[in-house]
């Protein structure tokens, strides 16, 4: 298996802004990536994977991030991303397969993250801290052929605890809704195999500072 080095030409244009006496921050970024000879993993048989070079690929899109300090205790966060990523020219001459026009693997078109943080004095030098995060990701392909896709995913995380400065204790929950989704996909011996994302998990974090 021989393959060429890949090169990418990237440009990015963005703006960072502050509003409402610096209580609202809005950042906007536009980007464009132009790949030549992009290195991509493909399956050559149910048991083997190799690297091939896509002659040309493009990914472009926009990202928006916002942070709002509603009160001294409450902050809201938002992040949205749009991505258009595809193979412009990718013909595997060894396998005789044309992937041109297909989506790049692991490149969802839309991503959205919402979050809220609370830090409220509770007396005697102790702060109540809490937060919740929601993340949504649209469908994405796992392979250049697009033969297997992960549908939309919705993940919710949360946390609550106390912080005194020298020490803190936080109870956290990840994937609170126990969303079922795949983080990786491959074939083995002709069988489709998916690697599941972690289900609902709970934990306690203790922190000491000195």
């Amino acid at each position: 298996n021989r393959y060429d080095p890949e090169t990418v030409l990237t440009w990015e244009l963005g703006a960072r802004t502050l509003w409402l006496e610096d209580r609202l921050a809005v950042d906007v970024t536009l980007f464009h990536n132009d790949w030549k000879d992009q290195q991509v993993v493909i399956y050559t048989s149910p048991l083997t994977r190799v690297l091939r070079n896509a002659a040309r690929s493009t990914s472009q899109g926009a990202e928006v991030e916002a942070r709002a300090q509603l009160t001294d205790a409450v902050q809201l966060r938002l992040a949205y991303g749009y991505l258009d990523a595809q193979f412009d020219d990718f013909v595997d001459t060894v396998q005789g397969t044309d992937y041109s026009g297909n989506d790049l693997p692991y490149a969802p078109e839309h991503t959205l993250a919402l979050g809220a943080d609370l830090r409220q004095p509770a007396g005697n030098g102790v702060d109540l801290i809490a937060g919740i995060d929601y993340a949504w990701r649209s469908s994405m392909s796992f392979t250049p052929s697009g033969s297997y896709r992960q549908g939309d995913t919705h993940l919710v995380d949360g946390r609550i605890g106390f912080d005194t400065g020298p020490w803190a204790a936080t109870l956290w929950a990840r994937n609170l809704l126990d969303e079922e989704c795949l983080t990786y996909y491959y074939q083995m011996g002709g069988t489709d195999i998916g690697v599941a994302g972690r289900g609902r998990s709970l934990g306690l974090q203790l922190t000491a500072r000195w």
Side-chain angles (χ1 to χ4, degrees), residues 67-192:
R67 299 171 300 282
Q69 194 72 40
L70 294 188
T71 69
D72 291 341
V74 179
Q75 183 185 75
L76 300 182
R77 294 172 281 105
L78 176 147
Y80 169 75
Y82 169 76
L83 178 62
D84 176 19
Q86 63 181 14
F87 297 110
D88 299 319
D89 182 9
F90 185 10
V91 179
D92 181 5
T93 57
V94 178
Q95 295 291 108
T97 306
D98 189 352
Y99 302 109
S100 302
N102 291 357
D103 293 339
L104 294 185
Y106 300 95
E109 185 175 11
H110 302 281
T111 55
L112 174 68
L114 302 173
D117 298 304
L118 170 71
R119 178 176 285 271
Q120 178 67 48
N124 297 322
V126 178
D127 288 347
L128 171 67
I129 54 176
I132 189 167
D133 294 283
Y134 166 75
W136 168 70
R137 183 184 64 204
S138 64
S139 173
M140 68 177 184
S141 173
F142 284 114
T143 61
S145 65
S147 57
Y148 195 92
R149 301 183 65 90
Q150 168 62 51
D152 292 12
T153 58
H154 306 266
L155 299 176
V156 178
D157 299 337
R159 58 199 174 277
I160 187 169
F162 294 95
D163 190 347
T164 69
W167 64 268
T170 305
L171 179 67
W172 54 261
R174 299 193 180 103
N175 193 5
L176 193 58
L177 302 181
D178 204 22
E179 175 85 349
E180 294 183 356
C181 62
L182 299 181
T183 60
Y184 188 66
Y185 160 85
Y186 63 97
Q187 292 177 328
M188 180 62 68
T191 300
D192 294 326

Side-chain angles (χ1 to χ4, degrees), residues 3-20:
Y3 49 91
D4 297 326
E6 68 176 15
T7 60
V8 59
L9 176 64
T10 300
W11 64 259
E12 183 176 302
L13 177 66
R16 299 180 181 274
T17 64
L18 293 173
W19 308 81
L20 304 177

Side-chain angles (χ1 to χ4, degrees), residues 31-35 57-61 83-86 104:
F31 61 89
H32 181 93
N33 301 312
D34 187 7
W35 270 285
S57 303
T58 301
S59 67
Q60 57 190 355
L83 178 62
D84 176 19
Q86 63 181 14
L104 294 185

